[in-house]
Amino acid sequence: MMKRLTSRARTRTLPLLAIAVPLPFTVYAQEPAQLETVVVSATRSNITTDKSPQTVQVITQEQIEQQLSISTNASDVLSNLIPSYTPSRGKLTGSGETLRGRTPLILIDGVPQSNPIRPTGREVHTIDYSMLERIEVIQGANAVNGLGATGGVINLVTKRPEDGTLNQHIDVQMTMPTERVDGDGLSLRTTYGLNGRQGAWDYLLSLSYDDQGTYRDAKGRLIGVDNTQGDMMDSRSYDVLAKLGYQIDGKQRLQMSVNRYRIKNNADYLSVTGNRQLGIPTTSREGTPPGSAPRNDVWTSSVNYQNTDFAGMELSVMAFNQEFEGLFGATNTATFQDVRFAPLGTLYDQSRSVASKYGSKVTLTKSDLMDRRLKLTGGFDTLFDKGKQDLYGTGRTYVPESKYNNLSLFGQAEFQLTDALTVHGGVRREDAELKVGSYRTLAANNGVLVEGGKIDFKDTVYNAGLVYTPVKGLSLFGSYSEGFGIPDVGRTLRSINQPGQRIDNLSALQPIITESKEVGVRGAQGAFDGSLSYFQSDSDLGARVTSVGGVFLTAREKTRIQGVDASVGFKINPQHKVKLSYVHTRGRYDSDENGSLDAKLDGLNVSPDRVVASWSADWSREVSTYVQVQHAFTRSFDESAKHFSGYTLVDAALRYQLPKGELKFAIANLFNEDYITYYSQSALVEPDRYFAGRGRTLTIGYSLYF
């Protein structure tokens, strides 16, 4: 793709070997490639990608912008760029979207977006991705970042001010289907940003507004709207990001950041039930659904202090706050019925999740020990989370107000044993407390009184790893890492239907300890770079998500997920680069509690095998193109109705540099593939959520930096 004049960090997902094959084109002579040394802040100890004992991927701003021209849905961006991430549902709620089959911890500049008391599946939709400079992905359980990182970490790093007193940027784009084009199907998006530096001060302000129209499938039918879980279709969102920084001196810096994100459905359409047996997807028709429209409303703020010479160490201190409100749509589900309000089957109500969290992260690093061979990192984290889930229409308690307080101490070591061998090790101590007051469940759960109480979570998790570099440009790595998490507290508390229950006796709230193992190789040689790894994660007491009577519950069972993650890139010449990635994932669980892993995990808990290929080309100083192909393989499950038939999607983008600004053209689903989403085929057997994927769309945009 065309490069802007401003510098951007460029990264690769690493590895393998060069293979001599005859090629029908010229391969330009190149210097031997080296593993890139990009610092990953999500590791807390600032490990570089070439020394990480786990698979690490850093997604650049250029890659993010390419994807946003194809789709502005954050889940689409992650799925397209991270092959081990589950194919996007295309909806506002992303439950079932996992990383290597487990839930990742989503961070914005290190601030956790996940809510431990009542995860909503909306953690991906708390910021507009046009605000991002890069995305850091750590695959597998992570003992460093603590609560929720059982599947890995996805750290969304926001943009920083550039040099100059005033830099501005504006971007506008319009997206439309190519089948049955009308005014309702147009989506309009605009972003504006300004930033700069003046003396010791720097600042940044970014704004975005996104008005999404209706979506159509490959046959021109309106895609079914999810009025309950929330939808990206027929929605409006805006985001405001503000940063103010002050360079105290050459070693100290202070920064404040605030982000406000809001997305709300327009509530102009009703769902029309499909037919799975006949292959007829759920569609939409004009109409006003009951209740208030689903929405996400999120404030994220932080204050950061950094000192690069604090008694000879590097000190990083962050304090943060997040205020979250997620409203779901109204439904007359049996769970919400109560004859005190209306006759059975007639009461429409909707749930609302509210969470308020404060916390801090303190990190100290000493990197020049033992002739700079040893780096030690230590620190502590705090988290004070208060949340509840109520029924918005009637004011009833669905999940009682709960308080979660956590103090964690951690230490990490990176020791270069020899010039070729680096050893990693670390430990994290989790000391947490959950307090819940007494409450009464809904009438559908017999309206039983549950006695409040307190549960203590105390666990120590470990990690260890090796990175061996026998020759320049080639690394072998292996790691063992444990992740700490707690099950969905809300799902457990709201489903109690037997009297005499006490909070401090609920075994279903025992913590989730995930053991993650990975071995692999990464390297670069000549025009080739690539990686290959085998991964496995185990939980003796996992948290499998299951649907019972339309209500999502958590099953605590032994689970194992294992697979292979591979990628290879080839630089044909300085202007052309191709890349191919493949991920195979297999998940099983103990369905009868006899210790054997006898059953397959379904699409709510594990992703399909996928191949993702891309070709980026700079044809001239003015013209660049990007093509990506992704294929999801067929997969069967124990439940015969959950059968995934697979599909192939092709997307293409073109940029043309004008004397002032840049024109953008993109076509998503280039060949107008007619398909049903992975979630709709493999996660649930519901005619109301038998959703087709989007058909071909065309995006036209203009971008200007000034």
Side-chain angles (χ1 to χ4, degrees):
M1 301 303 298
M2 297 291 292
K3 280 75 174 177
R4 283 179 42 207
L5 295 179
T6 54
S7 62
R8 295 181 184 170
R10 297 185 59 80
T11 60
R12 300 172 186 162
T13 309
L14 307 172
L16 277 181
L17 8 131
I19 303 174
V21 293
L23 299 172
F25 41 74
T26 302
V27 178
Y28 286 64
Q30 301 179 39
E31 294 295 323
Q34 299 180 15
L35 298 182
E36 298 194 75
T37 55
V38 179
V39 174
V40 182
S41 61
T43 62
R44 302 294 294 277
S45 56
N46 292 331
I47 296 177
T48 55
T49 52
D50 63 319
K51 291 186 177 180
S52 171
Q54 293 177 273
T55 297
V56 174
Q57 181 181 2
V58 180
I59 298 167
T60 66
Q61 184 177 339
E62 183 178 6
Q63 292 174 300
I64 296 169
E65 290 176 352
Q66 282 175 347
Q67 296 300 325
L68 288 176
S69 68
I70 295 169
S71 172
T72 60
N73 184 341
S75 293
D76 290 343
V77 174
L78 294 178
S79 178
N80 291 344
L81 292 172
I82 309 172
S84 58
Y85 191 88
T86 306
S88 168
R89 287 176 59 175
K91 304 299 182 182
L92 179 57
T93 301
S95 295
E97 295 177 3
T98 62
L99 183 65
R100 284 188 175 176
R102 298 190 186 271
T103 304
L105 173 64
I106 306 292
L107 306 171
I108 295 180
D109 292 330
V111 178
Q113 302 300 293
S114 305
N115 298 309
I117 296 174
R118 179 68 270 272
T120 58
R122 293 186 175 180
E123 293 82 2
V124 172
H125 300 287
T126 58
I127 190 172
D128 190 301
Y129 277 34
S130 66
M131 306 292 173
L132 304 184
E133 177 183 278
R134 70 181 188 275
I135 301 173
E136 301 172 343
V137 184
I138 302 176
Q139 305 266 15
N142 188 272
V144 176
N145 283 281
L147 181 67
T150 55
V153 175
I154 299 177
N155 186 31
L156 311 175
V157 181
T158 58
K159 293 178 179 178
R160 295 172 294 176
E162 300 174 353
D163 293 334
T165 56
L166 179 62
N167 309 294
Q168 299 183 75
H169 170 242
I170 189 169
D171 186 286
V172 294
Q173 70 179 45
M174 178 182 69
T175 301
M176 68 189 77
T178 60
E179 304 289 326
R180 300 190 185 181
V181 181
D182 57 24
D184 292 338
L186 297 181
S187 298
L188 301 174
R189 173 184 173 85
T190 182
T191 63
Y192 170 76
L194 60 89
N195 65 78
R197 303 179 187 273
Q198 184 68 46
W201 294 90
D202 57 73
Y203 66 93
L204 179 144
L205 177 66
S206 292
L207 312 170
S208 74
Y209 177 77
D210 196 348
D211 187 349
Q212 289 291 302
T214 56
Y215 297 167
R216 293 188 179 274
D217 65 16
K219 295 185 177 180
R221 298 168 295 199
L222 285 175
I223 288 177
V225 62
D226 195 330
N227 292 127
T228 304
Q229 294 294 321
D231 216 299
M232 306 301 294
M233 181 181 100
D234 188 39
S235 69
R236 292 180 182 178
S237 66
Y238 69 83
D239 198 347
V240 180
L241 171 67
K243 286 185 174 183
L244 182 63
Y246 180 67
Q247 194 72 34
I248 301 171
D249 54 34
K251 300 176 181 178
Q252 300 180 84
R253 174 176 169 79
L254 185 66
Q255 178 180 283
M256 294 174 287
S257 175
V258 178
N259 188 73
R260 170 71 190 282
Y261 178 80
R262 179 181 171 89
I263 181 170
K264 183 178 181 180
N265 292 138
N266 295 328
D268 294 327
Y269 290 86
L270 295 170
S271 177
V272 179
T273 301
N275 188 310
R276 294 178 67 95
Q277 286 70 35
L278 299 179
I280 301 174
T282 302
T283 58
S284 298
R285 63 177 176 85
E286 291 189 18
T288 303
S292 299
R295 65 175 183 263
N296 257 17
D297 202 335
V298 192
W299 285 88
T300 303
S301 57
S302 63
V303 178
N304 293 267
Y305 169 76
Q306 288 186 315
N307 188 333
T308 58
D309 188 8
F310 181 77
M313 297 178 288
E314 183 175 343
L315 171 66
S316 174
V317 180
M318 178 177 70
F320 62 83
N321 166 241
Q322 188 199 57
E323 303 294 326
F324 173 88
E325 181 190 29
L327 180 66
F328 294 81
T331 175
N332 64 342
T333 175
T335 304
F336 294 165
Q337 299 308 302
D338 192 329
V339 293
R340 295 178 302 166
F341 295 91
L344 291 178
T346 64
L347 178 60
Y348 280 81
D349 213 335
Q350 54 194 129
S351 71
R352 179 183 63 159
S353 179
V354 180
S356 175
K357 68 166 69 78
Y358 296 85
S360 63
K361 294 184 175 183
V362 178
T363 307
L364 269 174
T365 300
K366 180 72 171 175
S367 57
D368 56 358
L369 298 170
M370 297 183 65
D371 196 24
R372 306 190 69 84
R373 287 183 174 270
L374 175 64
K375 178 167 71 173
L376 295 178
T377 300
F380 66 90
D381 300 339
T382 64
L383 177 64
F384 306 95
D385 188 296
K386 180 174 66 175
K388 66 176 183 178
Q389 189 173 17
D390 58 20
L391 295 185
Y392 193 67
T394 57
R396 290 174 289 167
T397 296
Y398 195 20
V399 176
E401 184 170 278
S402 309
K403 296 180 180 179
Y404 179 85
N405 301 326
N406 179 284
L407 171 64
S408 303
L409 304 175
F410 74 92
Q412 288 288 122
E414 179 183 334
F415 181 55
Q416 190 169 344
L417 189 61
T418 68
D419 290 344
L421 180 63
T422 303
V423 181
H424 298 262
V427 60
R428 183 182 180 95
R429 176 64 178 176
E430 298 280 356
D431 192 341
E433 176 186 82
L434 175 69
K435 293 182 179 180
V436 182
S438 298
Y439 70 101
R440 190 173 294 277
T441 62
L442 296 179
N445 284 329
N446 301 324
V448 299
L449 179 65
V450 181
E451 185 179 341
K454 182 180 72 172
I455 299 177
D456 292 323
F457 301 94
K458 297 181 185 295
D459 258 298
T460 302
V461 291
Y462 303 90
N463 68 87
L466 295 171
V467 180
Y468 178 59
T469 307
V471 295
K472 192 173 184 179
L474 180 68
S475 291
L476 308 175
F477 62 92
S479 67
Y480 169 84
S481 187
E482 297 176 342
F484 173 82
I486 61 174
D488 189 326
V489 173
R491 282 181 181 154
T492 301
L493 298 185
R494 74 190 190 189
S495 63
I496 295 175
N497 56 18
Q498 298 297 319
Q501 299 292 309
R502 295 177 50 188
I503 294 297
D504 49 11
N505 285 340
L506 294 177
S507 60
L509 292 180
Q510 294 181 51
I512 306 166
I513 303 298
T514 302
E515 299 177 348
S516 178
K517 309 175 188 71
E518 182 177 12
V519 292
V521 56
R522 59 175 170 244
Q525 191 76 345
F528 286 89
D529 64 82
S531 65
L532 174 66
S533 67
Y534 167 82
F535 60 87
Q536 178 176 308
S537 63
D538 295 90
S539 295
D540 288 336
L541 196 61
R544 181 176 63 92
V545 181
T546 181
S547 177
V548 178
V551 178
F552 290 111
L553 301 176
T554 302
R556 305 304 309 276
E557 300 152 332
K558 180 179 180 180
T559 62
R560 170 174 291 173
I561 297 171
Q562 53 194 160
V564 175
D565 194 333
S567 71
V568 61
F570 177 63
K571 200 167 188 178
I572 301 171
N573 59 37
Q575 290 76 40
H576 294 260
K577 173 72 180 289
V578 293
K579 182 178 179 180
L580 180 68
S581 300
Y582 169 72
V583 173
H584 162 70
T585 309
R586 178 177 180 265
R588 302 188 71 82
Y589 69 97
D590 180 6
S591 67
D592 51 13
E593 299 184 358
N594 68 351
S596 65
L597 299 167
D598 59 297
K600 297 178 181 178
L601 289 173
D602 64 9
L604 261 178
N605 300 274
V606 71
S607 60
D609 297 345
R610 293 209 299 157
V611 168
V612 180
S614 65
W615 171 30
S616 57
D618 294 330
W619 300 97
S620 67
R621 293 180 59 88
E622 292 79 22
V623 180
S624 61
T625 58
Y626 177 79
V627 178
Q628 66 184 15
V629 181
Q630 49 184 309
H631 176 73
F633 290 90
T634 300
R635 169 161 284 183
S636 60
F637 302 92
D638 293 336
E639 190 176 350
S640 60
K642 294 179 180 179
H643 177 79
F644 177 57
S645 58
Y647 54 75
T648 302
L649 300 178
V650 181
D651 308 311
L654 179 146
R655 293 191 180 190
Y656 184 80
Q657 190 71 38
L658 300 172
K660 287 188 177 181
E662 182 180 73
L663 283 177
K664 300 182 296 181
F665 302 92
I667 301 178
N669 195 357
L670 178 63
F671 297 109
N672 207 28
E673 174 88 350
D674 184 22
Y675 69 101
I676 302 296
T677 65
Y678 176 70
Y679 179 88
S680 294
Q681 292 190 61
S682 63
L684 300 175
V685 183
E686 290 185 10
D688 289 340
R689 291 197 172 96
Y690 191 59
F691 297 122
R694 294 183 73 175
R696 183 171 48 232
T697 61
L698 171 66
T699 297
I700 302 173
Y702 175 76
S703 179
L704 175 65
Y705 289 85
F706 58 101

